[in-house]
Structures are given as C-alpha cells and as structure tokens.
Amino acid sequence: RMTRIRYNHVMTKNRNKRAIDRQSSRIRLVWYFIFLVYLAIIIYILIDATGSLDKNPGTNLVFFEEIRRFWNLIRFDEQNRVLALQNLFGNIAIFIPFGFFFPLVTNRRLTGLKTAVAAIASVSAIELYQLVSNSGIFDVDDFILNWSGVLIGWLLYKAMSGLRRLA
C-alpha cells in the first residue's frame, strides 16, 4: 500500500514537471520570436536599404571624441541639443533590449560572459559593415555607447530574474 502511494506521488510529480517544461518551452519560443523581431528592427534602423541613417561616411578611432563633442552640444548649443541627445542616448537605448533578451534566449548559465561576447560581436559587425560599405561612420564611441546599452539591459535582466526568485 505504501509503495502504491509513493508511485502515485512520483507519477503526479513527473506529470506536473512535464507540463511545466512544455509551458517553459512555449515561453522561450515567444522570447526567441521577440528577440528576432528586435534584431530585424535594429538591422533596419542601423543598416537600412539606403545604407545608414548617417550619410557622412568616415572614421573615428579616438575614444570619447564624439561623446565629448555631443556632450558639449547638449550643454552649450541649444539648436543641436535634441540631435545630440538622440545620438548619445539613442545609441545606448537601442541595445538595452539586446542585453535583456539575449540571456532569455540562451542557456542561462554564464549569461554575462555570453551576452558580452555576443554584444561585442554584434556591435563590431555593425561598425565594420559601416566601415567596409562606406555607409556610415565607423565610430569607437558608438561601440562604447552600444555596449553600455547591452550592459544596462543585462543588469535589468539580472534584477528582474532576482525579483522573480524572491516572489
């Protein structure tokens, strides 16, 4: 009699685990879809059919040169303040979802390292495309700003997953 109760308990537990696994797989599939849509939007925004939103091809290899220039425009140039804000914070904001969604669609172990490697590869690919295709500015400051966005997104992911564990 005790064996039968234990067997029923184990079978019920296994059925519940399979149901949770199926639901988890469906949720992960939704995250994959959202991430792919997000990537398509990034590609469209940064490398659209006409090349890039910035039509002044060039190269900036001096760290913080453009960041400093845009920061000074924000502080001292009222006419260009909005454009400078859009450039600085837009380059950060566009990659925040990458840092948040990438851990959700990959194995959750070592997500910080995997997210960093994927972000470096993605941002480098975009910047190299702009350099090779002469369709935008190859800018090390864009790399810094984009990577900052990934880091913010990853920190948000870690904070949200920590809150979920507390609930």
Side-chain angles (χ1 to χ4, degrees):
R1 180 167 168 87
M2 187 61 115
T3 306
R4 174 166 276 219
I5 292 171
R6 182 175 284 171
Y7 174 77
N8 287 340
H9 174 72
V10 168
M11 292 305 291
T12 302
K13 193 173 179 182
N14 285 342
R15 263 185 297 218
N16 290 341
K17 185 176 179 338
R18 281 193 303 263
I20 290 170
D21 287 345
R22 276 193 305 274
Q23 182 180 4
S24 181
S25 294
R26 286 186 200 122
I27 291 170
R28 180 163 278 172
L29 193 60
V30 169
W31 286 127
Y32 274 114
F33 178 74
I34 291 170
F35 188 65
L36 289 174
V37 168
Y38 161 75
L39 289 177
I41 290 169
I42 279 189
I43 291 168
Y44 178 77
I45 290 172
L46 297 178
I47 307 167
D48 64 4
T50 60
S52 166
L53 293 178
D54 192 344
K55 303 298 183 221
N56 301 318
T59 303
N60 171 32
L61 298 175
V62 179
F63 286 101
F64 300 105
E65 180 179 21
E66 288 296 304
I67 293 172
R68 209 175 298 117
R69 184 172 75 86
F70 284 121
W71 183 251
N72 286 331
L73 286 174
I74 291 168
R75 292 174 49 210
F76 303 116
D77 187 348
E78 288 184 34
Q79 282 184 315
N80 292 309
R81 182 173 291 150
V82 172
L83 290 173
L85 284 166
Q86 285 175 340
N87 188 293
L88 282 177
F89 295 106
N91 273 312
I92 293 170
I94 198 166
F95 276 89
I96 290 174
F98 188 100
F100 185 82
F101 289 122
F102 189 78
L104 290 170
V105 299
T106 60
N107 187 344
R108 287 180 170 85
R109 282 181 255 138
L110 300 174
T111 56
L113 179 61
K114 286 181 181 181
T115 303
V117 169
I120 289 168
S122 300
V123 173
S124 296
I126 290 167
E127 291 299 321
L128 286 173
Y129 173 81
Q130 289 179 340
L131 178 67
V132 171
S133 69
N134 213 18
S135 65
I137 296 176
F138 176 81
D139 190 350
V140 293
D141 289 346
D142 282 352
F143 185 87
I144 293 167
L145 294 169
N146 295 158
W147 208 88
S148 298
V150 172
L151 180 62
I152 291 168
W154 184 76
L155 291 172
L156 287 171
Y157 163 77
K158 291 302 281 182
M160 297 295 281
S161 60
L163 288 175
R164 197 178 78 213
R165 273 187 237 128
L166 291 176

